[in-house]
Amino acid sequence: MAKKNVDPGRLPSPATATLAGLLVATAMLTSCGGGSGSGSAAGVFTPPPAAGAPPSASPGDNAPEPENIGTHVDAPNPVPPSPSLPPTQPVTVDASLGVTSFYPLFAASTPVTEQIQYREPDGTLVTLMGMRPTERHARERGEPWTAADQGPGRYLTFPSAYFQNRTYGIEIRDHVPAGKQLIEMILIVNDGTFDGTTFSLFRNSNDEGVRDFGWALNTGFDNPNRGGKPICTAGSRDCKISFDSYWDVPKGQPHRALKMGDVIELSPAQRMERYGDGMHAGEPVPDSLRGKAVVDGAGSRYYSFEQLYVVGQGLVPWYGVAPRLNSAPLPEATLLGGATSLSYNYSEEPMRVFQQMANNIGIVNSKRFVQGRRLFHTSFLDGKHSEHPDDNPVFAAHVGQLGPRFNQERCIACHTLNGRSAMPGIGARLDTMAVLTGAAGSTGANPLPDGTYGANVQQRSRDAGATDLSVSVASYQTSVRTLPDGETVELQKPVYAFKGPVPAQFSVRQASQIVGMGLIEAVDEATILALADPADRDGDGVKGVPNWITNPENGKVHLGRFGWKAAKATMRQQIGDALLKDIGVTSPVFPSRGCQRLDPDCRNATGATAISEAELSRLTDYLSLLAVPAQRSLRSGFPNDTRVSPEHDVNPGQIVRGSALFAQAQCVACHTPQLRTGSAHPFAELRNQTIRPYTNLLLHDMGPGLADTLAEGKAAASMWRTAPLWGLGSLKYVQGSEQNVRLLHDGRARTLMEAILWHGGEAAASRTRFEAMSRDDRAAVIAFLSSL
């Protein structure tokens, strides 16, 4: 714990300190964060705890968090309905693209679901920052910075009951662009009542004792309409703080004026209305409920994300610079997901980086996100959450909805920590992968179901006596490729074993990481089609063909963009397809299990579906608003006496060289480095973002080596969508180890080198250029890909 640093010259006077009482948690955060005392020079002070409020340690310190007995009680404040989407009109295109017209996903007049930033007429910049609960600080690694690694921190975790009553936000009113010396922060509670929410600002980077945390300004949100007490309720804008100077200055020096471009660290921490404390201090309460949230009996005190605010600009992803991981905006070139990008992580939790909210998420959208995440983690057999299953309340609405045949009982089971399928071991059932099937006469334009399996193999059954239809890898066919400089690389291709009959056509697909899907949906069709070259007009051997998909709900033709063959047009369709095929669960997209067998009348089913329209929206919201981790191509400013976290032990010069060589090999002909999202997606977070997914989202013929036997739409058996490369470098952490990572559609490639050497067809020339590089240059390309 960093020591507390108090500057006597900045302590409030006794008269000032009595102006208001402050919540218990201010003392909590000051003792934990170690910031210096606040002073009246900034127009904000840190008063003493409110009378009658006992001191309390922060979660994870000396006083442990009470056991969570989570019930399933939400505050009566539902998510407001999303605005309806205006209809789109058909767009005519050249027939060489495969169709003569299609429907865009979003009309230009699509309203935003929620504002995240705007300017008022006088120039005041208003930013709306969504928050969720977490357990510890951003720079806590689970052990002292000078100690050997003892395990991860708890900054990126999701505590019990995170999905109910615990999201909120801060409205940042920045008056500096309007010529004033003032920034206001207004607490916006999504549900129920907070009692004791604190706010730490301006990381005290001038103090050599500050490492994991330590703040120059610790304060709280007092409500003048509740007797100056820190009681803040959903629907109210009464809880606010303000400051009129810059606090991160050397000890003993006066504050300076705020100016455009100043960076301000923000670290809110919420406490909910709870039994036996705060508003309920002195009331009789059983020990089992003491300290628990009144609204649902679960935990009541948390930290939240640490954000970086740039005066006059807004929230930006950040990384740590010398001398003490001081916060600085990440350069734009590292923001793979634009403003949604996840900041660098210093709590040594790289395994959790695919699970985080978009950095620019709105206040109500943070609630949409956690509710969707809950459903993504819920078992459709027993309704339990995959995390804290004995503490989190059972999602009773979904108990027993698992299909009679299925692959897994919850979405997260196939996407390891939102990453990829589990490693396909020889002889093990491939029930975290998809095995798509078709009858002998099936074509992309006219798919026909397999007589036994339907559209895919559902390998597990709720009936213990049912026929075993599992699929496994029986063996691998191996070959050795010798590169021009003599280096040899063994390649392997899986040979599959079916317990049931071998289908006439099949394709084995691993689940891919799910970050960035909302950004991909937000890219305008015109941007993607401009990259298509079906006739190879430029003669580079690379074509790029769009896949065209018929919307199963309305029959409209859309541009395909999701899945290994771009065979899904929308997030909604992708989710509905996975629910049906992998879990046997119906939704408004596919309302009958007959849709899995391609029954032409399956959409005529009556009655309620397992997943309602509202829940389908929440799942879509969750996947849309996942952050993309920023590129780890910069050295962080770790103090000299500390251990550099493995995920940050990078060689920037090698990465820059690898990026240039990647372009020289013309890999960028398919893996387009940069795209721009459009201005029509319902989520403001995803609009007008410069993103770096390294894909053109088009189909390319990759040659016979990667071909299977199943076509989808315009995608022949040897054609695959250019896979986005963002997140590649995080897979070894998310999947548990580098040995658990598998690449390419069927997971055959164990390394990036193997994946590159499998590229054939339109990518053969680029592969040959890569093979001809020196060993050091090939290593630089691999280092670049590993930084993404």
Side-chain angles (χ1 to χ4, degrees):
M1 181 181 297
K3 69 176 183 178
K4 181 178 179 181
N5 302 288
V6 178
D7 180 356
R10 288 159 63 176
L11 286 174
S13 67
T16 301
T18 60
L19 290 178
L22 185 64
L23 56 163
V24 177
T26 297
M28 167 191 86
L29 273 185
T30 303
S31 64
C32 181
S36 58
S38 53
S40 56
V44 180
F45 53 86
T46 306
S56 175
S58 62
D61 288 340
N62 296 328
E65 178 73 12
E67 180 187 0
N68 182 5
I69 57 164
T71 60
H72 187 194
V73 180
D74 280 316
N77 187 27
V79 173
S82 301
S84 59
L85 299 181
T88 60
Q89 300 300 317
V91 174
T92 301
V93 293
D94 190 282
S96 65
L97 293 174
V99 296
T100 55
S101 67
F102 70 94
Y103 283 85
L105 293 186
F106 307 111
S109 58
T110 300
V112 295
T113 303
E114 177 184 10
Q115 282 189 315
I116 59 172
Q117 190 175 63
Y118 60 92
R119 288 189 187 272
E120 295 183 339
D122 69 349
T124 297
L125 180 65
V126 180
T127 302
L128 301 154
M129 177 177 77
M131 289 279 114
R132 70 159 179 91
T134 187
E135 296 177 287
R136 291 302 300 175
H137 294 286
R139 293 174 177 84
E140 290 185 288
R141 310 202 302 186
E143 66 277 333
W145 278 28
T146 55
D149 186 13
Q150 299 172 25
R154 292 186 289 131
Y155 171 63
L156 296 181
T157 57
F158 287 80
S160 301
Y162 68 89
F163 45 78
Q164 57 190 31
N165 310 305
R166 286 162 177 77
T167 60
Y168 65 106
I170 295 175
E171 180 182 313
I172 305 170
R173 298 185 57 79
D174 182 355
H175 298 278
V176 177
K180 302 175 184 177
Q181 276 293 301
L182 180 66
I183 296 179
E184 297 175 290
M185 306 274 183
I186 302 172
L187 181 66
I188 307 294
V189 180
N190 275 334
D191 293 294
T193 298
F194 285 4
D195 176 16
T197 295
T198 62
F199 203 15
S200 299
L201 302 94
F202 297 101
R203 186 166 179 265
N204 197 356
S205 61
N206 289 285
D207 190 324
E208 293 182 0
V210 167
R211 291 203 173 182
D212 352 36
F213 42 74
W215 307 92
L217 169 56
N218 290 289
T219 187
F221 289 96
D222 296 332
N223 188 339
N225 295 321
R226 298 295 293 266
K229 295 180 179 179
I231 301 170
C232 310
T233 303
S236 167
R237 294 172 51 83
D238 297 328
C239 292
K240 62 184 68 176
I241 67 169
S242 63
F243 52 92
D244 57 14
S245 61
Y246 188 80
W247 280 68
D248 189 11
V249 296
K251 184 181 295 186
Q253 293 189 14
H255 295 177
R256 64 165 174 81
L258 292 163
K259 65 179 187 294
M260 299 284 284
D262 275 343
V263 295
I264 303 173
E265 297 91 344
L266 312 176
S267 180
Q270 66 271 44
R271 290 199 79 175
M272 303 170 66
E273 180 186 7
R274 56 205 174 275
Y275 292 107
D277 197 1
M279 295 169 62
H280 299 269
E283 295 179 1
V285 60
D287 289 343
S288 61
L289 284 177
R290 186 171 300 276
K292 302 293 182 64
V294 170
V295 68
D296 59 13
S300 66
R301 52 191 182 184
Y302 307 93
Y303 295 97
S304 194
F305 266 31
E306 296 179 15
Q307 287 275 31
L308 190 64
Y309 181 81
V310 177
V311 176
Q313 178 181 339
L315 300 171
V316 296
W318 59 274
Y319 76 123
V321 298
R324 286 172 290 279
L325 288 182
N326 297 332
S327 305
L330 275 164
E332 185 176 345
T334 66
L335 302 183
L336 302 182
T340 74
S341 300
L342 181 68
S343 300
Y344 279 18
N345 168 241
Y346 297 109
S347 54
E348 291 200 325
E349 300 171 270
M351 75 293 288
R352 299 187 178 112
V353 296
F354 286 170
Q355 301 185 61
Q356 307 309 315
M357 302 189 306
N359 190 73
N360 60 343
I361 196 167
I363 296 174
V364 178
N365 275 348
S366 66
K367 182 174 178 178
R368 293 184 171 99
F369 178 92
V370 297
Q371 289 185 343
R373 185 184 189 272
R374 186 226 186 147
L375 192 54
F376 198 80
H377 283 251
T378 291
S379 165
F380 287 89
L381 179 62
D382 60 19
K384 289 188 175 183
H385 197 289
S386 67
E387 302 161 331
H388 310 291
D390 296 327
D391 289 339
N392 276 323
V394 168
F395 206 156
H398 298 297
V399 173
Q401 291 183 335
L402 187 68
R405 296 207 69 96
F406 62 100
N407 290 319
Q408 291 292 332
E409 63 188 61
R410 50 170 61 92
C411 302
I412 191 68
C414 289
H415 299 274
T416 304
L417 297 182
N418 284 4
R420 300 195 170 194
S421 297
M423 180 183 67
I426 290 180
R429 183 162 49 192
L430 300 180
D431 54 6
T432 66
M433 302 178 76
V435 182
L436 306 186
T437 55
S442 183
T443 66
N446 183 31
L448 300 175
D450 179 88
T452 299
Y453 307 111
N456 70 300
V457 183
Q458 294 175 319
Q459 299 181 51
R460 300 168 68 188
S461 174
R462 295 182 66 178
D463 179 359
T467 302
D468 186 355
L469 297 181
S470 59
V471 183
S472 62
V473 175
S475 62
Y476 286 99
Q477 296 175 346
T478 61
S479 60
V480 175
R481 184 180 293 276
T482 302
L483 305 186
D485 63 359
E487 181 179 1
T488 59
V489 180
E490 182 187 72
L491 303 181
Q492 63 176 24
K493 182 177 181 179
V495 177
Y496 297 105
F498 288 77
K499 288 287 188 178
V502 177
Q505 299 183 21
F506 70 92
S507 179
V508 178
R509 316 272 178 86
Q510 71 161 318
S512 58
Q513 63 266 30
I514 57 176
V515 295
M517 295 178 69
L519 291 166
I520 287 174
E521 190 174 54
V523 177
D524 283 341
E525 287 84 358
T527 299
I528 301 170
L529 295 178
L531 301 171
D533 187 13
D536 192 17
R537 293 186 303 271
D538 56 11
D540 65 353
V542 178
K543 296 181 178 181
V545 176
N547 205 353
W548 298 105
I549 306 303
T550 300
N551 188 317
E553 295 186 82
N554 57 29
K556 293 181 177 180
V557 173
H558 298 302
L559 175 65
R561 55 182 87 199
F562 296 111
W564 289 101
K565 287 185 181 288
K568 309 296 183 297
T570 66
M571 293 272 293
R572 182 183 173 94
Q573 182 187 4
Q574 175 73 25
I575 293 167
D577 188 82
L579 286 169
L580 180 72
K581 291 179 178 176
D582 297 327
I583 310 180
V585 167
T586 58
S587 71
V589 182
F590 296 111
S592 164
R593 292 194 179 106
C595 296
Q596 188 272 339
R597 305 194 70 83
L598 305 184
D599 181 348
D601 295 325
C602 75
R603 289 201 50 80
N604 296 327
T606 59
T609 55
I611 296 293
S612 68
E613 181 63 41
E615 289 175 322
L616 181 61
S617 294
R618 290 296 84 82
L619 271 174
T620 305
D621 297 343
Y622 167 63
L623 294 176
S624 296
L625 292 167
L626 284 166
V628 177
Q631 183 183 11
R632 289 177 291 104
S633 55
L634 304 174
R635 294 291 293 187
S636 296
F638 285 93
N640 292 332
D641 60 344
T642 62
R643 174 180 51 82
V644 176
S645 302
E647 64 268 31
H648 295 296
D649 191 9
V650 301
N651 184 333
Q654 185 187 38
I655 292 169
V656 170
R657 176 158 179 76
S659 176
L661 291 166
F662 186 79
Q664 288 176 20
Q666 296 183 25
C667 302
V668 294
C670 298
H671 292 285
T672 305
Q674 184 170 297
L675 297 172
R676 181 81 173 169
T677 66
S679 58
H681 194 281
F683 285 148
E685 293 90 337
L686 308 179
R687 291 186 173 188
N688 303 312
Q689 296 296 323
T690 298
I691 62 175
R692 296 161 182 86
Y694 289 88
T695 177
N696 58 12
L697 300 173
L698 296 169
L699 300 171
H700 295 274
D701 191 327
M702 299 297 289
L706 286 177
D708 54 27
T709 59
L710 188 74
E712 290 186 274
K714 303 290 184 181
S718 61
M719 298 179 75
W720 303 95
R721 182 196 69 159
T722 303
L725 302 182
W726 50 20
L728 275 184
S730 294
L731 285 174
K732 64 182 179 181
Y733 305 107
V734 172
Q735 303 298 137
S737 73
E738 198 159 14
Q739 289 70 38
N740 291 341
V741 176
R742 291 295 182 267
L743 304 170
L744 300 178
H745 67 280
D746 55 6
R748 68 178 67 182
R750 295 161 290 186
T751 65
L752 286 165
M753 176 75 81
E754 288 183 41
I756 293 170
L757 298 188
W758 271 109
H759 281 53
E762 295 177 39
S766 290
R767 184 202 68 226
T768 299
R769 296 184 189 98
F770 172 80
E771 292 172 332
M773 294 177 186
S774 69
R775 189 170 300 210
D776 285 346
D777 284 352
R778 291 196 298 269
V781 172
I782 299 299
F784 159 67
L785 294 173
S786 298
S787 75
L788 297 177

